[in-house]
Amino acid sequence: MYSQGLKDAEGQLEPAELMAEFQARIDREEKIEPRDWMPEAYRKTLIRQMSQHAHSEIVGQLPEGNWITRAPSLKRKMILLAKVQDEAGHGLYIYSATETLGVTRDQLTDELLTGKAKYSSIFNYPTPSWADIGAVGWLVDGAAIMNQVPLCRSSYGPYARSMIRICKEESFHQRQGYEIMTVLARGTAAQKDMAQRALNRFWWPALMMFGPSDKDSKHSEQSMKWKIKRFTNDELRQKFIDATVPQAEHLGLTIPDPELRWNEETGQYDHGEINWQEFIDVIKGNGPCNKERLQARINAHEEGEWVREAAEVYQQKQNQEEAA
Amino acid sequence: MNQDLYQFALRLADTSLTMGQRLAEWCGHGPYLEEDVALTNVSLDLIGHAQMFYQLACDNSETSTSPDDLAFLRDVPEYRNPLITELPRGDFAYTTLKQYFIDVYHLHLYQQLSVSSDEQLAALAQKALMEVKYHLSRSEAWCQRLSLSTEEAHEKMQKALDDLWFYTPELFETDESMQRLMTASVIPDMGAIQTVWQQQTEQLLEDCQLAKPENGWMATGGLVGEHTEHLGYMLADMQFLQRAYPGCEW
């Protein structure tokens, strides 16, 4: 039936006709749905990207959750609780969307806890001061939005749809983070210093959130063709810098990059070289909080084991009673 | 009367805030993702109730103050919550049973307060009551799920009950100030609340095949600001920024 097998990017043999039709659908901007045929590599790429995204939301609860009990006012405490709760909710939607590709949440959780799956490198940095909560909202959620808005048009339907809701919430988070920074930057000298230190800590790690430079990104080209990605890492990073520099100026804070300057010709900011060695180290597990973050997830999972087992057994007993 | 209402509003607010603060410690550490969301939801509601009742206290205060001042600038002897709400979060069984006891208390108390002769208090109680009903249906379902499933879970629930039971009578204690409010029909007869609380909780314990402990230290002290060792740590954590950087806006 198939005239010829074609190898896709991961070396998987796929029927040429189906591949051609699949690409044509994507080129026509049709959404791919869970029951549609898709190349194995497309499925794998999505599972990798979406589960990394879900894991990031879950691990991302930790650096901010760190300040819930110490938030400086009742209003800040409630906003932060609601925000971290949103992140858990995002994790839930994306895990559910990933399950449509034929994996279970248990499998994905197992991959996270055994260190097989990755999550965003940013969450391996510490949040030692209240201002870090502002910086995380402003910069980390700001960078996440740059990454995620194009994902609302991702070719995979369930992912695209979950991203629409997530982006709305992230944009709210970004604004509340910036508002924390505004209050601190206009506050006492000690508060302003707190804000500047947080910017110093999070600026470079936020830039690294867009992933390796285009010349080193191994997944980019195929993902662009399949419209899983719409912009390259460097394009998104540049957009983020151009949007964020004026915001820092408005706060009266200094971006910790002496080479940062406006380029009249390109109409963009030029910036200093990113420390890619640091990025690689953090991805490999050698960031300041990698061990702590993963251990916190492992502890929650292990300490919750008896609860999950109890719920399961209770449900079985209920089912048996109903059947009897 | 204003001073009495001020004190009672603090009792309500401190109870909700300390409960909410402990629940918030679960954020990112729950046994399920769904429970992480649920626990923080309940925490968020309780802190919202605290803010509401602190505002009521402010409105009845002789000196100018704010909900944040009341939450962040009072020390242990000025806190009016019953001791049970400041106890450490414990495991999921302990958190669940403590939550259930407080949910039943809140349900009956707010039901009665919602017909208080003080209109503002009645309106606030009505608002809180709507949320408390959801909290109770969740904590009650978890009590059953944990008690009537595995042996391990049942043991943990029994242990939680042994540890918590003698903290519950304190919920219904009154002082002279509260008695004046009872006489004026601002607050209900706490003895009557205790009776319905006891009927309801004892029925659930029986359904859950949990045995009430026979002996234990009977907690008391919250109404006069005598607390456990735990509250000091909770406040040190919660009030850190306000204490370290006094007079700042946040």
Side-chain angles (χ1 to χ4, degrees):
Chain A
M1 191 173 163
Y2 305 122
S3 57
Q4 191 185 2
L6 273 187
K7 276 190 179 174
D8 70 13
E10 300 216 356
Q12 184 88 19
L13 206 60
E14 302 282 12
E17 286 86 351
L18 287 177
M19 283 289 271
E21 173 51 22
F22 180 78
Q23 189 62 50
R25 287 188 65 193
I26 287 185
D27 293 342
R28 290 195 299 269
E29 297 288 336
E30 282 176 30
K31 290 278 178 258
I32 306 300
E33 296 298 337
R35 290 180 183 190
D36 297 346
W37 184 87
M38 62 185 84
E40 258 326 286
Y42 178 84
R43 186 186 300 276
K44 268 192 181 162
T45 303
L46 275 169
I47 292 175
R48 191 190 65 243
Q49 185 179 332
M50 289 167 69
S51 64
Q52 274 181 17
H53 187 168
H55 298 328
S56 302
E57 300 282 359
I58 301 310
V59 179
Q61 286 184 277
L62 299 171
E64 290 184 278
N66 178 23
W67 277 90
I68 290 173
T69 60
R70 293 179 292 167
S73 70
L74 293 169
K75 183 181 101 175
R76 293 287 180 209
K77 192 188 286 292
M78 287 192 280
I79 294 174
L80 186 57
L81 256 170
K83 176 184 193 276
V84 181
Q85 188 191 31
D86 281 351
E87 311 295 3
H90 298 173
L92 268 176
Y93 309 149
I94 307 170
Y95 279 132
S96 303
T98 316
E99 285 184 311
T100 65
L101 291 160
V103 283
T104 64
R105 206 210 291 181
D106 285 347
Q107 279 173 285
L108 299 175
T109 303
D110 190 60
E111 286 179 5
L112 171 68
L113 299 183
T114 54
K116 246 176 89 185
K118 301 275 182 255
Y119 56 86
S120 178
S121 57
I122 194 80
F123 301 117
N124 292 315
Y125 290 87
T127 52
S129 94
W130 169 250
D132 292 313
I133 300 309
V136 167
W138 172 34
L139 301 173
V140 175
D141 291 324
I145 294 167
M146 286 289 172
N147 260 328
Q148 292 171 7
V149 166
L151 294 176
C152 298
R153 293 190 295 130
S154 159
S155 59
Y156 189 56
Y159 195 27
R161 289 188 289 274
S162 68
M163 290 315 301
I164 291 171
R165 181 161 171 190
I166 289 173
C167 281
K168 280 185 191 158
E169 294 182 348
E170 292 293 4
S171 126
F172 189 72
H173 297 168
Q174 196 266 347
R175 275 180 283 161
Q176 70 83 31
Y178 190 69
E179 203 251 335
I180 291 177
M181 295 303 270
T182 309
V183 172
L184 294 175
R186 290 180 189 158
T188 62
Q191 285 177 304
K192 193 169 178 182
D193 181 56
M194 213 184 265
Q196 181 62 55
R197 279 168 168 270
L199 172 56
N200 295 350
R201 270 193 289 277
F202 275 96
W203 175 254
W204 292 104
L207 296 189
M208 293 175 199
M209 282 176 71
F210 296 93
S213 164
D214 293 349
K215 59 183 191 307
D216 302 316
S217 176
K218 60 178 178 176
H219 300 300
S220 274
E221 199 185 330
Q222 180 66 67
S223 289
M224 297 278 280
K225 199 172 149 210
W226 277 338
K227 296 187 182 169
I228 295 173
K229 272 176 96 142
R230 296 264 176 179
F231 298 97
T232 70
N233 295 351
D234 287 338
E235 283 167 351
L236 290 168
R237 190 169 7 249
Q238 188 64 48
K239 272 173 97 156
F240 173 75
I241 294 171
D242 294 340
T244 309
V245 173
Q247 293 170 354
E249 284 170 358
H250 181 71
L251 293 174
L253 298 178
T254 309
I255 288 190
D257 178 0
E259 291 172 52
L260 187 82
R261 54 184 55 85
W262 179 251
N263 184 328
E264 282 291 345
E265 267 175 44
T266 58
Q268 293 175 328
Y269 284 92
D270 293 336
H271 60 88
E273 185 61 27
I274 291 168
N275 181 350
W276 290 115
Q277 191 52 49
E278 177 180 322
F279 176 72
I280 293 164
D281 286 345
V282 177
I283 290 281
K284 280 190 175 159
N286 299 320
C289 299
N290 291 60
K291 286 187 181 141
E292 228 173 296
R293 300 290 186 237
L294 199 56
Q295 196 57 49
R297 290 311 310 161
I298 292 171
N299 291 349
H301 189 75
E302 288 177 354
E303 284 162 19
E305 185 72 54
W306 71 270
V307 179
R308 294 189 297 275
E309 194 196 334
E312 193 104 338
V313 168
Y314 182 77
Q315 192 56 49
Q316 283 166 9
K317 286 186 180 176
Q318 293 294 104
N319 294 347
Q320 280 165 8
E321 272 178 34
E322 270 171 36
Chain B
M1 189 67 78
N2 279 3
Q3 186 56 26
D4 292 335
L5 197 50
Y6 170 81
Q7 288 293 345
F8 182 69
L10 283 185
R11 170 83 161 174
L12 295 179
D14 291 345
T15 302
S16 293
L17 180 59
T18 45
M19 279 302 283
Q21 178 80 1
R22 281 291 182 232
L23 277 183
E25 292 175 14
W26 279 100
C27 187
H29 307 282
Y32 286 97
L33 209 37
E34 286 81 351
E35 276 311 300
D36 232 298
V37 177
L39 288 162
T40 41
N41 237 335
V42 177
S43 169
L44 198 50
D45 286 348
L46 287 167
I47 294 167
H49 300 171
Q51 189 172 38
M52 225 160 65
F53 292 124
Y54 281 133
Q55 187 58 55
L56 179 68
C58 293
D59 296 344
N60 286 280
S61 170
E62 286 163 357
T63 52
S64 167
T65 184
S66 71
D68 280 339
D69 285 351
L70 292 173
F72 293 93
L73 300 178
R74 282 178 311 139
D75 200 357
V76 170
E78 296 161 285
Y79 262 74
R80 288 287 171 272
N81 59 286
L83 309 190
I84 189 171
T85 63
E86 70 203 37
L87 298 174
R89 82 168 208 207
D91 65 11
F92 191 70
Y94 191 84
T95 287
T96 301
L97 189 62
K98 183 166 60 164
Q99 187 66 41
Y100 170 73
F101 286 153
I102 296 298
D103 291 341
V104 180
Y105 164 76
H106 275 152
L107 176 80
H108 296 295
L109 181 61
Y110 291 155
Q111 258 170 359
Q112 294 301 316
L113 287 175
S114 63
V115 294
S116 164
S117 63
D118 184 284
E119 281 180 17
Q120 194 188 356
L121 176 58
L124 297 181
Q126 253 168 25
K127 189 173 183 298
L129 181 62
M130 291 193 297
E131 294 172 345
V132 163
K133 286 179 181 167
Y134 288 104
H135 301 173
L136 177 59
S137 96
R138 179 185 160 276
S139 63
E140 191 176 70
W142 269 110
C143 281
Q144 288 166 338
R145 212 170 278 143
L146 295 178
S147 304
L148 304 171
S149 50
T150 64
E151 210 171 301
E152 183 186 7
H154 187 269
E155 265 173 34
K156 285 183 195 287
M157 284 297 280
Q158 184 60 55
K159 169 88 172 59
L161 177 60
D162 293 345
D163 291 345
L164 288 168
W165 184 247
F166 290 101
Y167 282 91
T168 60
E170 196 204 350
L171 293 168
F172 310 98
E173 281 183 356
T174 58
D175 56 10
E176 280 179 25
S177 160
M178 282 174 75
Q179 280 153 17
R180 283 192 294 273
L181 293 172
M182 280 156 64
T183 309
S185 301
V186 176
I187 69 170
D189 173 7
M190 294 305 287
I193 304 271
Q194 182 164 22
T195 307
V196 283
W197 184 91
Q198 220 141 6
Q199 280 167 354
Q200 188 168 343
T201 53
E202 288 183 12
Q203 184 61 53
L204 181 93
L205 297 180
E206 198 185 309
D207 293 346
C208 288
Q209 297 163 21
L210 295 170
K212 276 189 298 172
E214 286 178 6
N215 292 304
W217 174 74
M218 190 73 80
T220 184
L223 274 179
V224 290
E226 287 297 323
H227 289 276
T228 65
E229 292 171 351
H230 307 295
L231 184 61
Y233 289 102
M234 185 196 276
L235 296 188
D237 187 45
M238 184 173 84
Q239 299 178 338
F240 154 67
L241 280 168
Q242 292 262 1
R243 301 285 193 184
Y245 303 90
C248 289
E249 269 190 49
W250 299 96

